[in-house]
Structure formats: structure tokens, C-alpha cells
Amino acid sequence: MQVVYSPVHLAHDVVFETYMGIAVPANEVAERAERIRTALVADGGFALTGPTEHGEAPITDVHDPGLVRFLEVAWSELRRQGIPRAFLSADTYPNRSMFEGMSHEAIAALVREPEHVGGRAGFWGLDSAAPLVAGTYAASLAAVDVALTTVDLVLGGEQAAYGLCRPPGHHAARSMYGGYCFFNNAAIAAHAITKATGERVSIIDVDYHHGNGSQQIFWRRGDVRYISIHADPRRQYPYFLGRADEKGEGEGAGENLNIPLRAGATNEDYLAATDRAVEAILAVSGSVVVVSLGFDTYGLDPIGDFALTTDVYHEVGRRVAATGRRLVILQEGGYHRPSLGENARAWLRGAEGRPFEPLPAAGFTEGGSVVG
Ligand code: Q9C
Ligand code: ZN
């Protein structure tokens, strides 16, 4: 399988994120993508290729140009405004109750993007978990190019291709970044596929978290079906979206399928959810499926609470590929660094119908002790 990778992700070199008001070690770090790249190279069955530049148009097809401009200038603004922080995190977010009683028209006319960069980050951001650093914008653009190059490979005839996107994308909405995500790589890819083919597209999102951004972007669209298996938002980020009764509206009514799972969800629970998701893919036309692939469903993930093991990724990859649809597979989350490479190898080999044997040099045992 072809793998699209760009070293520009290294420019998004975050060290801390903020969690409930304090700085904690970042989860979404460069080592993640490097672990996956190293494992796929060691496998021998994957061919790495760099992305080609696709420009800004496919991004503003999906995102507010104001979000793009903010992300472009945020770091230089932080410095210009003399704020000596190692990363940008918002000061104030516009909670919806701040505007209670105001009409939609009044809100549109009166609520503006502020000038202070801490206010601007609140205007465009969802949360304080997406630290922005000097290289974030360049890395985010490169991640989009990785996704769109993966689309090109599949539209060019590959049965499946994998884009090693970093930063991830599925929490980014049309006018909002957050949850370690800046541009929604999968949504940009799905939209580009509808444009190029005129066909319907399904997104299957198997990251541990609900992809609120992807859901928002396609909420009213009949041409992109969004299917997500994730931790129940009653107990987990993004908290405010991701319930089973969110089904889309207008042209998009019935095109959004959320499958929330309980804490401790097992391989068996996950495969049952996968079968429901696969059924929803097969219920609509279209030759291409976008996979938002996360490994934070893994039993040892530091921010997840599912109990999946490496073998189940092979089987999920196999079942998604068994739809017969061509797959644009894009990396989202997954934060247990020692297992990321093996889990990615397992999933992708499953999608190719190849068997999976662990690499002896993985330096890590599934029983729970990390040995390297
Ligand atoms: N204590 C993705 O997996 N909350 N994003 C983290 C950590 C934010 C996850 C809390 C989680 C965002 C792409
Ligand atoms: Zn996630």
C-alpha cells in the first residue's frame, strides 16, 4: 500500500497542552507519526511517498476563510502582541449563554472577532487542548496536502492508500479548530472526492473520540454520510456532540450515524459496532470511503477507556475493506506511542487482506509493560 508522509509535521512540535486549566505533557506529539512511519518502513510492504501541494482552495471549500487567516497569523500575532508564551491557548471562549436572549441577527451583527490573540483563539477555538506553536500552520497545511495526495492515489486507481496526517483533523469544524486538530483533513478529502467524482462518499470514523467537526461540516449534506464509533460523550470529550440521536437535518437527514460505546468496550463490542457501520456504508452508493483512523481505542491509550487489542485492528481493517469500496485512510488520534506502529501495521495489512504478524523489534508487550 502507498503511504503519504510529510516531515513538515515535525514543525508542530508541541510539548505541553492545557487540560482543565493547567499545562500537562502534550499527547499529540511528533513521535506519534514517526513511530508509525518507522513501523511501516520496517514492514517492507508499504511504499512511502511525499505529498503534492494542493493550495488553499480545497481548504476554503470546507472551512471559513477567517479560520484559515487566523491560523496563518496566530503565532506572529502572539509575538507581535508581546505575549511570551511557549504556545498559544485561548483566554476567553464565547460560551453560548453569553448571548442568551439576543437574536441570531443581533449575534451575527454584533459579535466580532476580537483583536487580542487570546480572544481570537477563543473566537475560533473549541478548547485549550490544541496548543498552537510557530510551526502549527505549516504542519496543518502539509497534513491537508497529505490527505489530498492520498485522495489522488485512490482516484488514480489504487484500491486503498494511507495518509499519515499530523496534526489530526476530525474535531475541526467549518469555523473552529480544537481537540489537537486545525484543518479537518478527512472532511476536506471527502468533499474533494464528491467534487471529482460526483458520487456520494461515506466517512467511517474509528477514532476513540466523536468527530464533531466532520459531523458539523456534513450535517445538512446528502452527499456525504458520516458514521462514527466513539466513546459516549456523556463521559468523554467532545462532551456536547456525539449522541446516537444526532442524525443530520435537511438533505442530510438520516446521513449521520453515531455509535457511542461504554467505558471498557471490548473487541467484541467494537466488532459489533463495526458491522453496523459497514452496513451503513453499504446502504448508500459511492465507490470511495474515507476512514478517519484513530488508535486511542487501544486498551493502553492514556486518554481512552476502551479495551481493544492489536488483533482487532487487523479485523476492523479487513471488514471495512470487505465493503469492496476504495479506501482513503487518514490518521487521526492514538496516544499510546509504543503500540502505534504495530496497530497501524495491523489495520492497514487487514485492509489489504494480508495476514498480520507482530514485528519482533516492536520493543513493547501487550500485557501492559512498556519495554522500549
Ligand atoms: N487529558 C483526537 O484524538 N482532551 N483528539 C484531552 C487529556 C482532548 C483528542 C484531555 C482530546 C482530543 C484527534
Ligand atoms: Zn481521538
Side-chain angles (χ1 to χ4, degrees):
M1 188 185 299
Q2 302 245 52
V3 172
V4 188
Y5 165 86
S6 165
V8 178
H9 84 85
L10 295 165
H12 181 54
D13 68 339
V14 294
V15 180
F16 293 103
E17 64 186 64
T18 27
Y19 178 56
M20 296 181 74
I22 57 166
V24 299
N27 289 293
E28 203 294 287
V29 293
E31 183 190 341
R32 300 178 52 250
E34 294 306 299
R35 288 261 190 181
I36 294 174
R37 178 178 61 84
T38 304
L40 298 182
V41 168
D43 180 277
F46 296 93
L48 261 71
T49 179
T52 54
E53 280 186 29
H54 288 70
E56 198 174 291
I59 301 179
T60 51
D61 275 356
V62 163
H63 286 292
D64 187 330
L67 172 67
V68 182
R69 293 286 76 79
F70 167 69
L71 294 173
E72 183 181 20
V73 302
W75 185 258
S76 58
E77 276 298 294
L78 186 79
R79 287 295 176 254
R80 196 182 65 77
Q81 296 183 15
I83 303 166
R85 291 288 172 89
F87 61 92
L88 170 62
S89 188
D91 176 12
T92 301
Y93 297 99
N95 184 296
R96 55 201 279 282
S97 300
M98 192 175 190
F99 314 108
E100 192 173 343
M102 293 170 70
S103 65
H104 283 293
E105 298 72 47
I107 292 169
L110 301 174
V111 180
R112 316 247 158 94
E113 181 175 3
E115 283 165 26
H116 190 283
V117 73
R120 288 182 79 178
F123 185 84
W124 294 110
L126 168 62
D127 56 64
S128 66
L132 190 151
V133 297
T136 299
Y137 181 65
S140 302
L141 288 177
V144 170
D145 282 328
V146 165
L148 291 171
T149 305
T150 310
V151 169
D152 293 339
L153 288 169
V154 168
L155 296 186
E158 294 290 325
Q159 182 62 27
Y162 171 64
L164 216 182
C165 296
R166 180 180 176 272
H170 73 154
H171 296 303
R174 193 183 84 82
S175 308
M176 183 183 82
Y177 74 100
Y180 312 150
C181 304
F182 298 89
F183 295 134
N184 193 319
N185 308 308
I188 293 166
H191 176 81
I193 297 163
T194 63
K195 217 168 156 176
T197 64
E199 292 181 356
R200 296 178 69 170
V201 173
S202 293
I203 301 174
I204 176 172
D205 187 331
V206 293
D207 185 275
Y208 167 80
H209 300 93
H210 176 246
N212 58 284
S214 305
Q215 171 171 305
Q216 183 276 321
I217 287 165
F218 298 114
W219 183 251
R220 287 181 181 273
R221 281 178 61 166
D223 58 343
V224 179
R225 171 167 284 208
Y226 178 71
I227 306 156
S228 178
I229 306 169
H230 51 263
D232 194 314
R234 283 177 295 188
R235 70 168 191 284
Q236 184 53 254
Y237 183 93
Y239 301 111
F240 306 106
L241 286 174
R243 291 182 181 241
D245 55 4
E246 296 160 16
K247 297 186 172 158
E249 289 182 82
E251 303 269 295
E255 298 300 326
N256 195 88
L257 175 60
N258 285 334
I259 308 177
L261 299 180
R262 63 182 177 85
T266 61
N267 288 346
E268 197 177 41
D269 297 333
Y270 206 86
L271 289 174
T274 301
D275 288 342
R276 281 186 63 199
V278 160
E279 196 183 321
I281 291 171
L282 293 173
V284 294
S285 63
S287 63
V288 184
V289 168
V290 175
V291 181
S292 269
L293 180 58
F295 297 114
D296 31 11
T297 49
Y298 189 60
L300 296 176
D301 193 274
I303 70 173
D305 63 8
F306 288 178
L308 305 202
T309 62
T310 298
D311 286 339
V312 86
Y313 295 119
H314 185 260
E315 180 59 16
V316 172
R318 197 190 67 73
R319 291 189 193 190
V320 172
T323 58
R325 309 285 166 103
R326 288 180 291 156
L327 305 181
V328 171
I329 306 163
L330 303 177
Q331 190 60 47
E332 301 281 358
Y335 306 101
H336 180 254
R337 299 174 211 170
S339 62
L340 281 175
E342 286 299 88
N343 288 341
R345 270 196 339 110
W347 209 103
L348 298 173
R349 288 182 69 118
E352 288 183 298
R354 288 197 286 151
F356 173 72
E357 306 93 24
L359 278 177
F364 145 79
T365 55
E366 202 160 89
S369 59
V370 175
V371 298

